[in-house]
Amino acid sequence: DTAVSQTPKYLVTQMGNDKSIKCEQNLGHDTMYWYKQDSKKFLKIMFSYNNKELIINETVPNRFSPKSPDKAHLNLHINSLELGDSAVYFCASSHNRFTQYFGPGTRLTVL
Amino acid sequence: KNEVEQSPQNLTAQEEEFITINCSYSVGISALHWLQQHPGGGIVSLFMLSSGKKKHGRLIATINIQEKHSSLHITASHPRDSAVYICAVSSTGNQFYFGTGTSLTVIP
């Protein structure tokens, strides 16, 4: 019954690896988002996506790419992981860019 | 300078106190959001507003578009209100900007 779910909850990996974080929403929303929360707890949007438009925060490295197999999923792929990528990543969804519902977060640790 | 500024950064209050958290922004917005992040890390959206005032239980959010300012009020605060409160704006340029959050601790 979870509205927005993310997997995995924790991800520990070596520098240089490629990894993915999955996000699924069962709310029928048309827009999904990825956010990064750094060690200082500062939230920053990475992407927003609906079936018409992908909006990328220009500060996001191109090693990060969102992939949406269907309206209910927006996965985050990260290539060549770096130490600075360690953070908590939140997925969220909304209908027509209204109130957002957040997933529980994925804590990524790059060693 | 951050597009969204919040104050105070940290706030400690006694139970039952009336609490106000302020948010100022510098960009044109389509909406302003108040989020709550619990100590366990989960984020909950409290309000989304583009004008006026909204109320939900003991929480009230107001926005003044002309002054580019919003406030979040908590009446009769309770220890379970202890959390980080984050102000965010959806800009007219389709970007999101976040404040640095206000860490609230309510003491019994």
Side-chain angles (χ1 to χ4, degrees):
Chain A
D1 284 280
T2 303
V4 182
S5 59
Q6 292 179 231
T7 53
K9 192 171 181 181
Y10 300 95
L11 181 55
V12 181
T13 188
Q14 298 282 343
M15 237 171 38
N17 284 349
D18 303 337
K19 290 293 178 186
S20 295
I21 306 172
K22 294 186 178 180
C23 178
E24 177 180 2
Q25 53 95 6
N26 62 5
L27 298 165
H29 287 165
D30 56 9
T31 306
M32 296 183 73
Y33 311 81
W34 276 105
Y35 296 92
K36 179 181 179 181
Q37 187 173 42
D38 61 26
S39 58
K40 294 181 181 176
K41 303 289 186 183
F42 187 62
L43 266 170
K44 183 184 281 192
I45 190 166
M46 302 178 73
F47 306 100
S48 69
Y49 181 81
N50 64 21
N51 57 7
K52 298 173 188 173
E53 191 178 21
L54 170 66
I55 298 174
I56 302 169
N57 184 327
E58 62 187 15
T59 67
V60 175
N62 57 14
R63 298 181 294 104
F64 291 80
S65 57
K67 297 278 195 310
S68 181
D70 54 58
K71 249 177 98 167
H73 296 84
L74 185 67
N75 302 325
L76 181 65
H77 295 271
I78 317 169
N79 294 325
S80 302
L81 278 156
E82 300 178 357
L83 294 176
D85 298 332
S86 295
V88 180
Y89 293 84
F90 287 95
C91 175
S93 72
S94 70
H95 178 63
N96 282 341
R97 300 185 184 278
F98 289 135
T99 300
Q100 294 186 30
Y101 293 79
F102 285 80
T106 295
R107 183 174 293 277
L108 170 66
T109 303
V110 182
L111 302 175
Chain B
K1 189 177 182 296
N2 203 22
E3 289 83 357
V4 179
E5 298 283 350
Q6 279 184 244
S7 63
Q9 193 171 354
N10 295 285
L11 181 55
T12 301
Q14 293 287 335
E15 190 169 355
E16 292 292 320
E17 267 189 52
F18 179 82
I19 288 163
T20 296
I21 300 170
N22 295 301
C23 175
S24 297
Y25 53 92
S26 58
V27 295
I29 69 167
S30 55
L32 183 141
H33 308 256
W34 281 103
L35 310 173
Q36 179 192 55
Q37 185 167 28
H38 286 284
I43 298 176
V44 174
S45 179
L46 298 175
F47 295 103
M48 189 189 80
L49 62 165
S50 53
S51 65
K53 177 178 170 178
K54 285 190 176 180
K55 185 175 189 291
H56 185 253
R58 295 179 294 104
L59 301 177
I60 303 166
T62 63
I63 188 168
N64 184 317
I65 298 294
Q66 286 73 30
E67 294 185 5
K68 294 191 172 180
H69 180 269
S70 174
S71 293
L72 176 69
H73 304 286
I74 305 175
T75 61
S77 59
H78 190 275
R80 65 174 173 265
D81 297 326
S82 298
V84 175
Y85 293 83
I86 302 167
C87 175
V89 299
S90 311
S91 77
T92 48
N94 272 333
Q95 292 291 331
F96 281 85
Y97 300 100
F98 290 85
T100 52
T102 295
S103 179
L104 171 66
T105 303
V106 181
I107 300 169

